[in-house]
Amino acid sequence: MNLIDGNQIASTIIAELKAEVSAINGRKPCIALIRVGEDPASVSYVRKKEKTAAEIGIESRIILPPETISHAELTRIVSDLNADDTVDGILIQSPMPKQIDELLIFRGIAPEKDVDGLGTMNLGKVAQDDDTGFVSCTPAGIMALLARSHVDLKGKHVVVIGRSLLVGKPIALLALQKKAGANGTVTICHSGTSNLAAITRQADVLIAAIGRPDYVTADMVKPGVVIIDVGVNRVPDTTRKSGYRLTGDVDFSTVSKLASQITPVPGGVGPMTVAMLMRNTVKAHRQRTVNPG
Ligand code: NAP
């Protein structure tokens, strides 16, 4: 079994971006990071994004509205950033409080600054095999992990568990695209799927994005499968100072014995998500510099 080392692949990409940004004459790329409220996971995710941006030489602008912000006020913040020429990318950390309609907020980000790729235009471009848009960061990270681990999806049966807008749907569309590295035969499973294990056992590449700790067990996979475990689940662990540990959607201890390649949790997909956000921000800067206004 080979471990797909997301930390190492992400650091290579970050080093490549750093070289690219240092070669930019003039204004460097800038990302606006909006975090509403003080959700502890969001605090740590935004901090990581800010730190990685600084490492690359991307400017970040941190905007921290209170938990009580109204939908209209958040919309105004986004509109102001859309109009600000010195901002290349806008990310609003999910989850947002319940008075905010997340989808509407994502749709309100100017497509050319939608570096999280969750707006209608950029999701549509994925369906159209159009590379000018921004692929949302976790699915983009999965494709980069596969490419850099020499996994070509052509002719492979790719089974995705999960159909969220954030992960399941876009990764299925990317795996399906008619282009080098993709060209997979894709099956999407979800909570309404009957006899899930019979389908997952057919997978050459299994992508689990469910949000249930250790859900995929050894009896659900075939020998030689490539496993991408997207899940990040906190499970109680009294031996840890924090009181919890992180685990994926795949039972690593048993499934790794059968897999040809597998991502760990943590250290697999997670670091790639941040690296892809940075790659999208550099791309947004490049496109906006070539094509201002
Ligand atoms: P989500 O929106 O909750 O979607 C979960 C999907 O899994 C849904 O489509 C759901 O089906 C399906 N599902 C749930 N239980 C199932 C079951 N028993 N059998 C088959 N399908 C089942 O979650 P998400 O945003 O996609 O995230 C999934 C996981 O990835 C979470 O653990 C999240 O923390 C993690 N994640 C990690 C990163 C990263 O950077 N590493 C990024 C994003 C997400 P229905 O549609 O039928 O409800």
Side-chain angles (χ1 to χ4, degrees), residues 138 161-164 166-168 189-192 196 209-212 215 230-233 249 269-270 273:
T138 302
I161 321 178
R163 57 175 159 188
S164 71
L166 192 61
V167 189
C189 303
H190 45 76
S191 66
L196 180 69
I210 320 166
R212 290 175 184 252
Y215 190 81
V230 187
V232 180
N233 307 292
D249 289 341
V269 175
T273 299

Side-chain angles (χ1 to χ4, degrees), residues 3 12 17 25 28 47 64 68 80 95 101 105-106 118 137 140 142 170 176 178 197 201 234-235 241 243 275 287:
L3 205 60
T12 305
L17 290 171
N25 290 316
K28 302 287 185 189
R47 196 175 296 139
L64 303 173
T68 51
D80 288 348
D101 183 333
I105 293 291
F106 291 143
L118 297 173
C137 302
I142 295 170
L176 191 64
K178 197 168 180 176
R201 271 196 293 269
R234 282 184 179 197
V235 294
K241 208 170 127 203
Q287 290 183 340

Side-chain angles (χ1 to χ4, degrees), residues 184-207:
T185 301
V186 180
T187 302
I188 309 177
C189 303
H190 45 76
S191 66
T193 299
S194 305
N195 207 355
L196 180 69
I199 299 170
T200 57
R201 271 196 293 269
Q202 295 171 28
D204 300 308
V205 177
L206 180 62
I207 302 174

Side-chain angles (χ1 to χ4, degrees), residues 74-135:
L74 188 57
T75 304
R76 205 168 314 120
I77 291 177
V78 172
S79 304
D80 288 348
L81 292 168
N82 283 343
D84 186 337
D85 273 347
T86 61
V87 171
D88 301 293
I90 302 170
L91 171 123
I92 308 166
Q93 188 65 45
S94 193
M96 297 175 214
K98 54 184 180 315
Q99 74 276 17
I100 308 289
D101 183 333
E102 280 199 10
L103 257 191
L104 275 186
I105 293 291
F106 291 143
R107 285 181 194 156
I109 300 173
E112 68 277 13
K113 297 189 181 188
D114 175 26
V115 288
D116 210 14
L118 297 173
T120 313
M121 175 71 88
N122 285 304
L123 281 166
K125 284 187 173 183
V126 173
Q128 293 172 340
D129 291 24
D130 179 342
D131 287 336
T132 64
F134 300 105
V135 177

